[in-house]
Amino acid sequence: MDLKSIKKKAKKEIESAKDSVALKHIFQDFFGKKGEIAVILSSLKNLPQKERKDKGKIINEVKKEVLEMIAKKENNLKKIEAALDAKEEWIDISFPSKKIPLGHLHPLTQARRKTEEIFEKLGFSVIEGPQIETEWYNFDALNIPKDHPARDRWDTFWLRESESQKSKVKSQRLLLRTHTSPVQIRYMEKNNPPLRIIVPGRIFRYEATDASHEINFYQLEGLMVDSKVTLADFKGVMEKFFQMFFGDEAKIRLRPSYFPFTEPSVEIDISCRICKQEGCSACGRKGWVEIAGAGMVHPNVFKAANLNPKNWQGFAFGIGLDRLAMMKYRINDIRLFYGGDLRFLEQF
């Protein structure tokens, strides 16, 4: 083998050496008694003096380069081995990095975006409002005055008043909103009918938690106002929405109910998709899950927004996004959404 090939072979083997033991074997392969470079050096004695001198010079240069490569590699290996022995962190910048896993949207965010997409196709605009509300927008303007018994249903978190706030009228007291309905008033104050809006957002209620209740959750408020809008229009919109959201024919039913801000009022129930109406903890063993409250907008709500109820009529509804997601993904406990357990969240 010629010296050029020997040098190339030595470089390749030295660079691939994983530890000091392997490096010693490489040294023996080239400089031991029967090593490739050692054999060539010992053969020089049989050559004429001039040829021996010229070839010896070349061989010594190759020998020097190979020894320098071995010494450099040995120095690097010693550093690595010392770092490992001392349990120090080291980085091999030539080693391919691990692929960083990408996160994904929370199931509630997925449900919210899906509902927004559907209602936008049905001609609704997506509107947002503040989570900290005034007593006026959260209660009074929605036909729930201070002494109204319906306020007990929305017992909530009041915010501590500063001295400057105490001098104001009580209707300006601040609280964490109990529903997204206040945005109805805020929007109608600044926009004339006809209108179609949905208001997704977080709401807060002071109540005991269980498989289907939390102190904070997400609600999707809807409002449609025109000169001629009826409950029949509302039912059609809801049936179309649930069909598009679940991708099949979901059973719904309307039950008479009472809300101060609608007249007449209805509750919307959907057949439990978790147990298929056989009864489970999510539906309270009833086979139906209350998914929304709705009704025709009360005349007093129109008046609070400075609209004449003789000229306009419409329907409003509030859908629990958490319960909607529970039905979509067949989740039997609302608290799982807020537990932060990656074993649960990574399923979506």
Side-chain angles (χ1 to χ4, degrees):
M1 185 180 290
D2 61 86
L3 290 171
K4 186 176 180 181
S5 299
I6 291 174
K7 179 181 174 182
K8 185 176 180 180
K9 177 185 176 184
K11 182 179 180 182
K12 183 178 179 180
E13 291 185 8
I14 291 168
E15 287 178 348
S16 63
K18 300 297 183 182
D19 51 42
S20 299
V21 176
L23 201 60
K24 287 180 181 179
H25 287 306
I26 294 171
F27 180 85
Q28 290 297 322
D29 291 341
F30 290 95
F31 299 105
K33 288 184 179 182
K34 296 183 180 181
E36 294 183 41
I37 294 178
V39 170
I40 295 175
L41 284 170
S42 64
S43 68
L44 291 176
K45 62 185 178 181
N46 300 322
L47 298 175
Q49 184 177 358
K50 186 176 184 308
E51 187 179 350
R52 182 168 66 239
K53 182 179 179 181
D54 293 340
K55 196 169 184 179
K57 183 179 179 182
I58 297 173
I59 294 173
N60 283 326
E61 287 178 355
V62 173
K63 176 182 176 182
K64 181 182 178 182
E65 289 180 21
V66 173
L67 288 172
E68 285 177 352
M69 286 190 288
I70 290 175
K72 184 177 180 181
K73 182 68 176 183
E74 185 178 19
N75 186 47
N76 289 338
L77 288 173
K78 284 181 178 179
K79 288 180 180 179
I80 293 172
E81 289 169 358
L84 290 174
D85 292 339
K87 294 183 179 181
E88 296 177 357
E89 184 179 358
W90 63 280
I91 300 175
D92 182 358
I93 60 173
S94 66
F95 194 79
S97 62
K98 292 183 179 180
K99 187 176 180 179
I100 300 175
L102 296 176
H104 64 283
L105 296 176
H106 190 281
L108 289 179
T109 303
Q110 294 182 42
R112 171 175 172 167
R113 293 192 177 183
K114 181 65 175 177
T115 57
E116 291 176 356
E117 177 188 340
I118 293 171
F119 276 111
E120 284 180 328
K121 289 179 179 178
L122 297 176
F124 288 75
S125 300
V126 180
I127 308 298
E128 293 186 344
Q131 292 184 11
I132 297 178
E133 264 296 1
T134 65
E135 185 177 12
W136 163 256
Y137 284 111
N138 197 82
F139 291 123
D140 298 338
L142 292 169
N143 200 35
I144 314 174
K146 182 177 180 180
D147 297 326
H148 199 293
R151 282 207 184 192
D152 293 339
R153 296 185 61 186
W154 288 282
D155 196 6
T156 188
F157 300 97
W158 293 94
L159 302 182
R160 182 178 296 174
E161 297 175 276
S162 65
E163 291 300 322
S164 60
Q165 289 174 321
K166 289 180 180 179
S167 61
K168 296 180 180 180
V169 293
K170 286 294 183 180
S171 60
Q172 294 302 312
R173 287 196 304 163
L174 300 179
L175 69 154
L176 298 179
R177 66 182 180 186
T178 60
H179 43 188
T180 50
S181 303
V183 184
Q184 286 186 35
I185 306 297
R186 290 182 176 275
Y187 191 79
M188 287 191 290
E189 283 179 337
K190 299 178 181 179
N191 298 272
N192 291 323
L195 53 87
R196 298 184 188 185
I197 64 169
I198 58 167
V199 188
R202 195 175 193 179
I203 66 173
F204 307 84
R205 293 184 185 175
Y206 182 66
E207 60 182 335
T209 60
D210 56 31
S212 56
H213 296 85
E214 257 290 3
I215 62 169
N216 77 100
F217 53 96
Y218 288 83
Q219 187 182 56
L220 181 86
E221 183 77 14
L223 176 68
M224 180 176 177
V225 178
D226 207 329
S227 57
K228 293 181 180 180
V229 175
T230 67
L231 273 177
D233 298 312
F234 165 72
K235 185 180 180 183
V237 168
M238 286 295 100
E239 287 179 341
K240 187 64 176 178
F241 165 73
F242 286 121
Q243 179 186 349
M244 295 174 71
F245 185 82
F246 292 113
D248 57 26
E249 293 293 336
K251 295 180 183 178
I252 67 169
R253 69 180 185 183
L254 303 184
R255 290 183 290 109
S257 186
Y258 170 78
F259 299 106
F261 35 82
T262 54
E263 186 181 45
S265 303
V266 295
E267 295 274 9
I268 311 171
D269 295 337
I270 185 171
S271 55
C272 184
R273 301 173 64 83
I274 298 173
C275 64
K276 299 188 183 300
Q277 292 192 284
E278 292 182 3
C280 65
S281 60
C283 64
R285 313 295 172 184
K286 298 175 181 178
W288 293 90
V289 177
E290 178 189 327
I291 206 78
M296 299 301 291
V297 179
H298 197 286
N300 289 345
V301 174
F302 281 129
K303 292 176 182 178
N306 298 316
L307 294 177
N308 190 340
K310 293 182 179 180
N311 299 330
W312 305 106
Q313 62 187 45
F315 61 77
F317 60 89
I319 300 176
L321 279 175
D322 298 59
R323 293 187 181 180
L324 204 59
M326 289 172 70
M327 295 297 103
K328 175 77 171 177
Y329 304 117
R330 292 176 168 81
I331 298 167
N332 62 3
D333 197 321
I334 192 174
R335 293 167 291 191
L336 292 171
F337 289 129
Y338 304 97
D341 191 334
L342 290 178
R343 294 172 300 177
F344 167 74
L345 297 175
E346 287 175 349
Q347 298 178 61
F348 305 94

